[in-house]
Amino acid sequence: MIKIGDILRGGYEGKEVSIRGWVYRCRSSGKITFTVVRDSSGIIQCISKEGEIPDDLYEQIKGLTIESSLELTGTVSKDTRGVTGYEIKVKGGKIYQRNESFPISRDKSEEFLLDIRHLWLRSREFTAVLKIRATAFNAFSEFFNREGFYNVQGPMMVSAQTEGGSTLFEVPFFDQKAYLTQSSQFYLEALIFSLEKVYTIAPSFRAEKSRTRRHLTEYWHAEGEVAWIGNEEMMQIEERMIEYIVSAVLRDNAEDLALIGRNVEPLKKVKAPFPRMKYRELIEKAQSWGLNMKYMDDLGADEERAITVHFDKPVFVTHYPQELKAFYHRPDPESPDEILCHDLLAPEGCGEIIGGGERIWELEILEERMRSMNIDPKAYSWYLDLRRYGSVPHSGFGLGLDRLIWWVCGLDSIRDAIPFPRTIRRITP
Ligand code: ATP
Ligand code: MG
């Protein structure tokens, strides 16, 4: 048994091979049937001729429907007329299942395609996106493993929020209330006291009530936390990490990027260092570009889109006013109204893919900050303990992997970056 992709790479002309897969297209003309077969690695045209293979097999092949599963044996030849430059002259084979007519065709609505996502996933475009996604997940871990980070795991069911109550999912937990985690950050912070440099890839859950092109309610969150470093050093690690992931995709998924029609020129420019800009400067720039924004406005998707079309690399926005971000960000000692944080905005109109920064590590400052934001320190007593026993300066980040794939693949919606999207209106399939 051989993969179709191997045949397409050449060297099998004149040889007999067996392939296994699914019918991608099928048509008969006179005594010849052309079956385009798909497997995980590619598609190839297979030609069966009546009289040259057993009659009952020919009848079966002729009657196949799209997505029927089969195995074929035959001789490879180069043929520029075949869809992918090669074809197989069939000698024998076996049909695993001839199915009813496949429910997906070109003219289906977006909602319908989401309803049958479990079948739509088989499309060549989706297969390409999923291969790129696999590369990105692996490259993320590979980068941090090489940098001496430890791969760790936090809990998914938690008792307190990290990012704000409006997007919390509540779950019954025996006789208590629990929440699905919005971020593993606090747990990674606890783990730096033994491991110093840690990362995790885990789902985060956010009850995002608005429908946008870049929010899911369950997404894959790649987070890192590092002892002894500040905001700038954290950004330096992140820019190398993003360059590493994008280069891995360009190297390993050239065919997949071409298949989904992604222009790779902008991706080739993703090389560290990335520009940095303080929030204050960004607002001034935005005003000079004619955007209606003022100091203290949060950046929503529309603002980020309008801003990032002006950059051809990802850009770090730092020093947000503290009111715009969560309580744990460390104020800049030189300008205490601003915090030592960063968002990384992806270019081409995509916007935020990373949020990160330096954490407050002194107990008094953290308690003071919580009081001023009306947060009950009791709910965070274990988190405050981390500032009681051997506290150290530290920084971290969270990267939305689905967001990253959405940008790298140039997709319309983040829903197309994940096999089974969860959004405000969708929990199946
Ligand atoms: P946004 O402003 O886009 O909602 P956020 O500020 O809420 O993002 P963070 O809390 O900083 O995001 O989370 C870190 C990263 O997780 C984000 O930069 C983004 O890549 C990703 N992320 C956050 N919320 C979602 C979501 N609902 N769906 C997919 N990815 C998300
Ligand atoms: Mg959000």
Side-chain angles (χ1 to χ4, degrees), residues 64 85 166 184-185 215 223 244 281 318 321 353 368 387 427:
L64 287 180
S166 66
S184 301
Q185 177 192 324
H215 286 93
E223 294 176 272
Y244 188 89
E281 290 168 60
T318 66
I353 54 169
E368 165 59 33
R387 275 76 181 161
I427 191 85

Side-chain angles (χ1 to χ4, degrees), residues 107-124:
D107 55 348
K108 298 299 185 198
S109 76
E110 205 174 318
E111 274 312 297
F112 175 80
L113 290 174
L114 283 162
D115 286 340
I116 53 163
R117 177 54 76 97
H118 51 293
L119 299 178
W120 186 29
L121 286 175
R122 303 178 185 193
S123 74
R124 295 191 78 208

Side-chain angles (χ1 to χ4, degrees), residues 173-188:
F173 191 78
F174 306 106
D175 54 355
Q176 295 179 49
K177 252 192 222 166
Y179 307 102
L180 296 178
T181 189
Q182 296 171 305
S183 155
S184 301
Q185 177 192 324
F186 292 175
Y187 297 92
L188 298 198

Side-chain angles (χ1 to χ4, degrees), residues 244-259:
Y244 188 89
I245 298 175
V246 171
S247 315
V249 170
L250 287 170
R251 184 192 63 220
D252 297 346
N253 298 95
E255 285 174 16
D256 303 309
L257 290 164
L259 200 144

Side-chain angles (χ1 to χ4, degrees), residues 176-217:
Q176 295 179 49
K177 252 192 222 166
Y179 307 102
L180 296 178
T181 189
Q182 296 171 305
S183 155
S184 301
Q185 177 192 324
F186 292 175
Y187 297 92
L188 298 198
E189 284 187 66
L191 287 158
I192 60 160
F193 291 88
S194 44
L195 298 168
E196 299 189 47
K197 303 201 288 189
V198 296
Y199 76 90
T200 195
I201 296 182
S204 277
F205 302 88
R206 303 209 181 172
E208 307 279 3
K209 305 223 171 52
S210 56
R211 270 163 66 85
T212 75
R213 296 183 318 133
R214 58 179 215 174
H215 286 93
L216 295 165
T217 52

Side-chain angles (χ1 to χ4, degrees), residues 321-376:
Q322 57 178 26
E323 288 81 356
L324 291 184
K325 295 281 177 186
F327 70 89
Y328 48 73
H329 290 288
R330 180 164 182 239
D332 184 350
E334 280 155 32
S335 165
D337 291 340
E338 294 174 330
I339 50 176
L340 295 169
C341 69
H342 58 267
D343 282 354
L344 181 66
L345 310 186
E348 301 174 80
C350 288
E352 182 185 333
I353 54 169
I354 293 182
E358 205 167 323
R359 322 302 190 189
I360 298 176
W361 61 282
E362 291 132 310
L363 182 64
E364 301 70 36
I365 300 180
L366 188 56
E367 283 178 334
E368 165 59 33
R369 186 91 187 91
M370 290 173 90
R371 268 194 298 277
S372 74
M373 290 178 78
N374 288 321
I375 296 167
D376 178 10

